[in-house]
């Protein structure tokens, strides 16, 4: 992904003129001509860790910085609770594992959990403890049970023995006072309002008197009369002096399908409703990382959370890897979609790459192991590891992509790297199709030339809505003898942090082109999918301005683009129906100074877009019409062919009064589809499509017996 700038929609609309035809638009659906097959995997999902997509997003963990590694200088997300005349302090311990001071040593749990938080209590007063703010708040809901777990140990602080004959120099600080080890006993765990005046739920664990780490678990359940709120934090507190150490502090609400270490219910339901066919993961830039050592470390994301150190993310914050490799696959399982696995191809975002040949071989071997984890039987090494992780059944896999956006590598190394990966993958897994990240048409100077043509190439398009509409016939011109197309990242971009109706109109125009050419475009996925919208001031809770699904810790909503995706995939046949059109209205962007200087004046482009498919089993016809103009548009629909219509159908309309109308966390349903029954459908009939609307007309037929 590369950030781009666009003219705001309100300004852009002022620079677009629309030519509405005097005659009624006519669309002729010709069922006598054989249409191309619609790819069964045409619409899917793409994901990566950006905008707090996983931590603070889909992944249900509510504790921010649970293993204290997010910032080596401060316990980010954590604060101290002090009441009465308490005297205490908190400090990161072992924050730099390469240089741990002597008085901070012997506190690592294992090689993954090397940093912890120390709470030193000289006087407990009324109460003292640590609090976590969560990801822009801890969501508290009524009648909800939360699962808490954490590691803790306790000690005292003795006075160091005096050294015989040693006199401290003048001005040297006095020895710290001794602290008795009273850490054993009740420890309170609670969900509280940020001001501490309201306790929503609490529980107690009994700390063991031990200098060794112990894991503690407790359930917290809220009452029925609680009003949902984000004005809350998570607290672990004590009333006794001592030195307390904490690590891997976790708080989970109920998860989708009750999976341990699982995902948020509301966001998962939104994806299920989209009926996607695949999930491209783990990225995106998140696959590559900024440097060669920051690539997605799939092996260290497996197994218990205690064995997951996390890693440096690609968008300015650290990834916990709680949503790890197996969780990605189970995510696919829960949403009934197939994984599309992207393997690291030896190129990092800052421009470093690994040369093809012996240096690249370890990376290729790692990719083969990764594929074995996904598809291997329990008799293979990595298949057995998957079974040990709790999933003995292999996952179905059809596509593997090598790298991500390797057109940024201007050295030309991808040709050799891709072929080395492809040859090895094909040798061991001949049934898999291997995707190149460089499209032949999009980047002809960088396309792969070694060996056979790639079976599939990945193309990415981020544009203004007008530019998407202007290029809606993009794939009409492609050579059918070339590779198949995976449009692996694309979006019309207007409105932030989630896109508006204008973007949805551009999206829909682009999708009509992909659907019409779905003999060539075998897969597509919008990006980015997720954004945490909690904080709009710097540092914001997001890094990318145009996104599909928005949320805070408490609730979520879909943008108009989300509903467009859902509509297009819900109403999709298996055969494209050829359409001829007459009288399509046009729009023209007004010339800019740059246009005048270059002599390249804007040309009229369509202002209405369309595509139709048919379900040959049921006979249902799905006609999609996008009206980007500000006026109602009558359209005469003519259906040719030996088909008997039932006279009834359904229309689904996504519209609003203005193209910059949108949905927000506070107004989540301003622009949503409305479904209605329609009657009077005949071989020729007229339908008026509303201004600024995405429409799907389902025309029911009567199958011959």
């Amino acid at each position: 992904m590369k950030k781009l700038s666009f003219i705001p929609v309100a300004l852009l609309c002022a620079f677009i003129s629309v030519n509405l035809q005097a005659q009624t638009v006519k669309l002729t659906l010709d069922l006598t001509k054989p249409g191309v097959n619609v790819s069964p995997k045409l619409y899917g999902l793409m994901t990566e860790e950006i905008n707090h997509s996983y931590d603070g997003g889909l992944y249900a963990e509510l504790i921010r910085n649970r293993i204290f590694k997010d910032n080596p200088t401060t316990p980010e997300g954590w604060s101290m609770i002090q009441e009465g005349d308490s005297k205490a302090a908190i400090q990161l311990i072992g924050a730099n594992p390469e240089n741990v001071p002597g008085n901070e040593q012997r506190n690592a749990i294992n090689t993954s959990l090397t940093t912890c938080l120390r709470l030193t209590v000289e006087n407990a007063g009324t109460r003292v403890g640590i609090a976590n703010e969560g990801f822009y708040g801890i969501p508290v809901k009524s009648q909800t049970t939360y699962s808490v777990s954490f590691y803790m140990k306790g000690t005292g602080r003795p006075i160091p023995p005096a050294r015989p004959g040693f006199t401290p120099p003048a001005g040297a600080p006095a020895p710290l006072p001794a602290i008795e080890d009273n850490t054993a006993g009740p420890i309170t765990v609670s969900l509280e309002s940020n001001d501490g005046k309201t306790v929503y739920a609490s529980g107690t664990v009994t700390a063991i008197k031990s200098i060794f780490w112990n894991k503690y678990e407790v359930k917290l359940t809220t009452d029925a009369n609680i009003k949902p709120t984000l004005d809350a934090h998570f607290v672990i507190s004590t009333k006794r002096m001592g030195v307390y150490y904490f690590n891997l502090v976790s708080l989970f609400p109920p998860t989708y399908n009750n999976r341990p270490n699982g995902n948020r219910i509301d966001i998962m339901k939104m994806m299920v409703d989209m009926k996607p066919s695949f999930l491209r993961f783990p990225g995106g830039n998140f696959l590559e990382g900024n440097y060669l050592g920051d690539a997605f470390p799939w092996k260290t994301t497996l197994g218990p959370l205690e064995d997951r150190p996390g890693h440096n993310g690609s968008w300015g914050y650290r990834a916990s890897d709680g949503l790890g490799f197996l969780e990605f696959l189970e995510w696919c399982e829960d949403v009934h979609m197939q994984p599309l696995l992207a393997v690291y191809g030896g190129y990092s975002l800052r421009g470093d790459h690994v040369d093809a040949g012996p240096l690249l071989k370890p990376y290729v071997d790692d990719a083969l192991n990764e594929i074995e984890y996904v598809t291997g039987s329990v008799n293979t090494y990595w298949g057995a590891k998957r079974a040990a992780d709790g999933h003995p059944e292999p996952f179905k896999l059809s596509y593997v992509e090598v790298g991500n956006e390797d057109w940024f590598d201007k050295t030309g190394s991808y040709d050799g790297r891709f072929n080395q990966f492809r040859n090895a993958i094909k040798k061991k897994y001949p049934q898999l199709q291997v995707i190149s990240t460089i499209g032949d048409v999009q980047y002809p100077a960088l396309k792969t030339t070694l060996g056979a043509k790639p079976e599939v190439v990945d193309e990415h398009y981020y544009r203004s809505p007008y530019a998407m509409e202007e290029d809606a016939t993009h794939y009409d011109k492609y050579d059918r003898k070339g590779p198949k197309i995976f449009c692996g990242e694309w979006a019309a971009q207007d409105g932030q942090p989630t896109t508006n109706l204008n973007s949805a109109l551009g999206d829909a125009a682009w999708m009509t082109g992909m659907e019409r050419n779905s003999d060539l475009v075998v897969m597509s996925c919008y990006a980015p999918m997720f954004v945490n919208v909690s904080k709009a001031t710097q540092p914001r809770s997001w890094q990318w301005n145009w996104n599909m699904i928005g949320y805070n810790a408490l609730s979520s909503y879909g943008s108009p683009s989300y509903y467009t995706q859902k509509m297009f995939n819900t109403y999709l046949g298996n055969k494209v129906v050829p359409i001829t059109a007459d009288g399509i209205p046009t729009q023209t962007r007004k010339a800019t100074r740059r246009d005048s200087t270059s002599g390249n004046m804007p040309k009229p482009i369509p202002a209405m877009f369309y595509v139709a498919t048919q379900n040959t089993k049921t006979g249902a016809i799905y006609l999609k019409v996008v009206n980007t103009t500000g006026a109602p548009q009558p359209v005469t629909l003519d259906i040719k062919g030996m088909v008997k219509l039932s006279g009834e159908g359904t229309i689904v309309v996504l519209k609003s009064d203005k193209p910059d109308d949108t949905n927000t966390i506070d107004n989540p349903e301003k622009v949503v589809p409305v479904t209605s029954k329609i009657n009077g459908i005949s071989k020729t009939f007229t339908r008026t499509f509303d201004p600024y609307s995405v429409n799907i007309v389902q025309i029911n037929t009567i199958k011959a017996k």
Side-chain angles (χ1 to χ4, degrees):
M1 293 181 179
K2 186 176 181 181
K3 292 192 176 182
L4 305 172
S5 298
F6 299 109
I7 301 171
V9 61
L11 185 60
L12 184 62
C13 288
F15 288 95
I16 297 175
S17 62
V18 178
N19 176 25
L20 298 177
Q21 304 292 326
Q23 73 270 29
T24 299
V25 176
K26 183 177 181 181
L27 298 179
T28 301
L29 284 65
D30 193 348
L31 298 175
T32 66
K33 294 181 179 179
V36 300
N37 292 328
V38 176
S39 169
K41 289 185 171 63
L42 181 58
Y43 297 124
L45 302 176
M46 181 269 176
T47 182
E48 68 171 306
E49 179 59 293
I50 183 177
N51 305 322
H52 289 287
S53 289
Y54 308 154
D55 296 335
L58 176 66
Y59 181 49
E61 174 65 81
L62 299 178
I63 299 297
R64 184 174 198 150
N65 192 18
R66 67 184 177 190
I67 63 171
F68 307 103
K69 289 187 173 184
D70 285 5
N71 189 327
T73 63
T74 185
E76 208 167 84
W78 293 90
S79 60
M80 189 167 56
I81 300 292
Q82 288 184 275
E83 295 177 1
D85 60 349
S86 61
K87 184 178 181 181
I90 58 173
Q91 181 184 346
L92 284 178
I93 300 298
N96 179 5
E98 303 298 323
N99 183 20
V100 180
N103 63 351
E104 296 182 15
Q105 294 175 2
R106 299 176 297 280
N107 290 305
I109 293 179
N110 58 21
T111 56
S112 298
L113 305 180
T114 55
T115 303
C116 63
L117 184 67
R118 181 173 69 194
L119 171 66
T120 303
V121 183
E122 293 187 32
N123 182 353
T126 306
R127 181 179 74 144
V128 65
I130 58 174
N132 188 270
E133 65 186 22
F135 293 92
Y136 312 100
I138 296 284
V140 176
K141 300 180 181 180
S142 64
Q143 291 183 300
T144 301
T145 297
Y146 298 81
S147 300
V148 178
S149 65
F150 58 95
Y151 282 84
M152 183 177 65
K153 67 177 182 175
T155 66
R157 186 174 69 193
I159 297 178
R163 287 184 286 170
F166 175 76
T167 302
L176 294 172
I179 297 177
E180 188 176 349
D181 181 4
N182 289 332
T183 56
I187 298 291
T188 301
V189 181
S190 54
L191 296 175
E192 305 178 6
S193 60
N194 287 331
D195 60 12
K197 295 180 180 179
T198 304
V199 177
Y200 299 110
S202 66
T204 302
V205 300
T206 301
I208 301 169
K209 185 165 184 147
S210 172
I211 62 170
F212 301 112
W213 289 102
N214 287 281
K215 186 175 183 178
Y216 298 90
E217 297 178 286
V218 65
K219 301 285 188 182
L220 304 180
T221 302
T222 57
D223 294 334
N225 60 351
I226 288 176
K227 182 180 179 180
T229 183
L230 281 173
D231 183 26
H233 58 191
F234 170 80
V235 177
I236 303 175
S237 60
T238 181
K239 296 182 179 180
R240 298 178 310 283
M241 67 188 307
V243 181
Y244 301 80
Y245 295 83
F246 300 92
N247 211 331
L248 190 53
V249 183
S250 177
L251 172 68
F252 266 89
T255 61
Y256 191 77
N257 283 349
N258 295 314
R259 283 198 185 273
N261 194 46
N263 295 330
R264 274 179 61 164
I265 295 172
D266 56 338
I267 299 177
M268 287 291 288
K269 285 182 176 178
M270 291 183 72
M271 286 185 286
V272 170
D273 289 346
M274 294 177 72
K275 299 180 173 60
S277 60
F278 67 88
L279 175 71
R280 175 186 174 223
F281 74 90
N285 291 0
F286 190 58
L287 170 70
E288 300 160 296
N290 289 323
Y291 301 99
L292 293 178
D294 294 333
F296 178 68
W298 68 275
K299 290 176 182 174
T300 61
T301 73
L302 300 174
L305 297 183
E306 287 85 347
D307 295 335
R308 304 189 192 187
H311 77 286
N312 294 326
S314 303
W315 292 97
Y317 59 95
R318 204 168 187 279
S320 75
D321 291 333
L323 201 164
F325 193 55
L326 179 59
E327 285 79 17
F328 278 115
L329 296 168
E330 290 174 334
W331 172 5
C332 293
E333 193 170 64
D334 286 343
V335 182
H336 312 295
M337 55 188 174
Q338 194 175 125
L340 190 162
L341 176 63
V343 298
Y344 180 59
Y347 174 76
S348 67
L349 296 172
R350 298 295 172 89
D352 294 321
H353 75 265
V354 180
D355 293 335
L359 292 174
L360 191 65
K361 186 177 185 303
Y363 296 87
V364 175
D365 292 343
D366 194 58
L368 296 175
N369 292 337
E370 196 172 2
I371 296 169
E372 184 175 282
Y373 186 90
V374 178
T375 66
S377 74
V378 295
N379 297 319
T380 64
Y381 179 87
W382 285 104
K385 180 68 172 70
R386 184 195 62 244
D389 291 338
H391 202 288
E393 288 298 316
F395 295 89
K396 185 177 180 181
L397 185 68
S398 301
Y399 294 91
V400 173
E401 183 166 13
V402 178
N404 170 67
E405 296 185 336
D406 286 86
W407 62 77
F408 284 117
D409 177 13
K410 304 306 181 185
T411 68
S413 73
Y414 185 69
D415 201 356
R417 291 188 287 111
F418 171 77
N419 276 281
Q420 188 170 344
F421 274 93
R422 176 174 60 175
N423 292 341
I425 293 170
K426 281 291 190 180
K427 182 177 180 180
K428 188 172 182 180
Y429 302 100
Q431 76 279 13
L432 295 180
Q433 295 196 48
V434 184
I435 302 171
S436 164
T437 70
I438 299 180
D440 289 11
V441 174
Q442 195 175 19
Y443 296 99
L446 295 172
K447 68 180 181 181
T448 59
T449 58
L450 296 175
K453 288 183 179 180
E455 296 162 293
V456 185
V457 295
D458 184 359
E459 298 184 348
H460 295 179
Y461 297 99
Y462 293 108
R463 296 167 169 169
S464 70
Y466 185 89
M468 283 301 211
E469 294 161 14
E470 185 177 31
D471 198 29
T473 59
H474 182 86
Y475 291 113
D476 293 1
K477 307 178 286 288
Y478 270 44
D479 182 1
R480 263 47 184 180
K481 296 180 181 178
K484 299 294 186 181
I485 302 299
F486 170 37
C487 196
E489 292 182 29
W490 69 269
Q493 297 180 317
D494 191 32
Q496 57 177 275
T498 51
T499 51
N500 57 24
L501 179 59
N502 191 44
S503 280
L505 295 171
D507 292 339
W510 179 256
M511 292 172 79
T512 62
M514 291 195 296
E515 197 165 302
R516 183 172 55 254
N517 292 282
S518 54
D519 60 322
L520 172 72
V521 183
V522 292
M523 295 177 291
S524 68
C525 44
Y526 183 103
M529 181 161 51
F530 297 138
V531 60
N532 189 312
V533 302
S534 299
K535 188 172 181 286
T537 57
Q538 296 292 345
R540 300 183 309 183
S541 55
W542 68 86
Q543 295 77 46
W544 192 266
N545 285 334
W546 310 280
N547 306 281
M548 184 168 63
I549 295 174
Y551 46 81
N552 58 22
L554 192 62
S555 59
S556 56
Y557 69 96
S559 67
S561 294
Y562 164 79
Y563 290 108
T564 299
Q565 295 279 322
K566 180 180 174 183
M567 290 166 62
F568 266 65
N569 202 28
T570 300
Y571 298 91
L572 183 66
N574 61 303
K575 284 280 189 180
V576 173
V577 177
I579 297 179
T580 56
D582 296 297
I584 295 295
T586 61
Q587 57 182 325
T588 306
R589 176 179 57 81
K590 291 189 177 180
T592 64
R593 182 178 299 176
R594 180 180 298 176
D595 295 327
S596 301
T597 301
S598 65
N600 185 19
M601 302 303 288
K603 298 177 181 178
I605 68 168
M608 177 173 284
F609 305 88
Y610 50 87
V611 69
T613 61
Q614 184 177 29
N615 183 323
T616 56
K617 290 184 178 179
T618 66
I621 300 166
Y622 306 112
L623 171 65
K624 296 164 182 173
V625 176
V626 185
N627 181 12
T628 68
T629 74
Q633 183 62 63
V635 177
T636 296
L637 301 172
D638 188 14
I639 302 173
K640 293 176 60 177
M642 298 295 293
V643 59
K644 187 175 182 181
L645 305 180
S646 71
E648 299 177 341
T650 301
I651 185 167
V652 186
V653 183
L654 181 74
K655 67 174 184 175
S656 195
D657 295 335
K658 297 177 293 185
D660 57 353
D661 284 345
T662 194
N663 300 327
T664 66
I665 198 74
D666 297 318
N667 190 4
E669 296 185 347
K670 182 177 178 64
V671 186
V672 296
V674 175
T675 303
S676 307
K677 295 293 183 182
I678 54 176
N679 297 304
I681 296 176
S682 60
K683 285 291 191 74
T684 300
F685 69 103
T686 298
R687 182 79 196 181
T688 297
F689 295 101
D690 292 319
Y692 307 126
S693 65
V694 179
N695 307 269
I696 298 180
V697 181
Q698 177 178 321
I699 301 170
N700 297 327
T701 66
I702 299 174
K703 296 276 288 184
K705 294 183 180 179

